[in-house]
Amino acid sequence: MTLPMRQQKHVETWQASGLSQAAYCREHKLNAKTFSNWLRIYRIEQTDTKVSTIIPVTIKSAASLTERLHLCTASGHLLQLPANVSPQWLGELLKCLA
C-alpha cells in the first residue's frame, strides 16, 4: 500500500514539528487513529526502501593473539584489528562501514 503524497506530507510535517501526534492532529483537525495508520504505512514504506547490503566474509580457524584482521573499506582505508575481536562488535563495525 502506498501512502498518498498529501498524507505523507502530513507525516513529515508532524515529524519536523516537535509536536505530539495528538497535538498535531488537533491543530490540523485530523483523526488521531487515521493519522496513526498513515504513520504506520509511512514507516513500512521507509523500511522497504532501505537497501540491504551483504558483505561476504570468510571464516578461518582460531587465530593467535599476535594475528591481526585486515579490513579494507570501499574508500581504501585499511583497518587492522586483533584477530580475536568479538564477532558482535565486528558485526556492528561492519554495519557502520556499509
Side-chain angles (χ1 to χ4, degrees):
M1 173 180 252
T2 303
L3 195 63
M5 188 59 79
R6 177 181 162 273
Q7 295 168 353
Q8 181 176 336
K9 185 70 174 163
H10 267 298
V11 171
E12 292 169 351
T13 302
W14 163 71
Q15 289 175 325
S17 74
L19 296 172
S20 68
Q21 285 183 40
Y24 182 85
C25 289
R26 278 192 304 273
E27 189 175 296
H28 293 273
K29 295 178 177 46
L30 298 170
N31 181 292
K33 287 185 179 184
T34 300
F35 185 83
S36 291
N37 283 332
W38 296 350
L39 181 57
R40 180 182 52 79
I41 294 167
Y42 178 84
R43 287 178 175 158
I44 290 170
E45 288 176 352
Q46 296 303 306
T47 303
D48 289 346
T49 60
K50 290 182 181 174
V51 177
S52 175
T53 304
I54 298 176
I55 301 172
V57 175
T58 304
I59 300 175
K60 296 181 179 179
S61 62
S64 73
L65 294 176
T66 59
E67 291 184 38
R68 316 271 303 157
L69 286 176
H70 295 86
L71 302 175
C72 186
T73 66
S75 60
H77 292 92
L78 181 64
L79 300 172
Q80 294 184 24
L81 305 168
N84 63 343
V85 68
S86 159
Q88 289 82 11
W89 183 86
L90 184 57
E92 291 299 315
L93 174 67
L94 292 174
K95 283 182 193 176
C96 294
L97 296 175

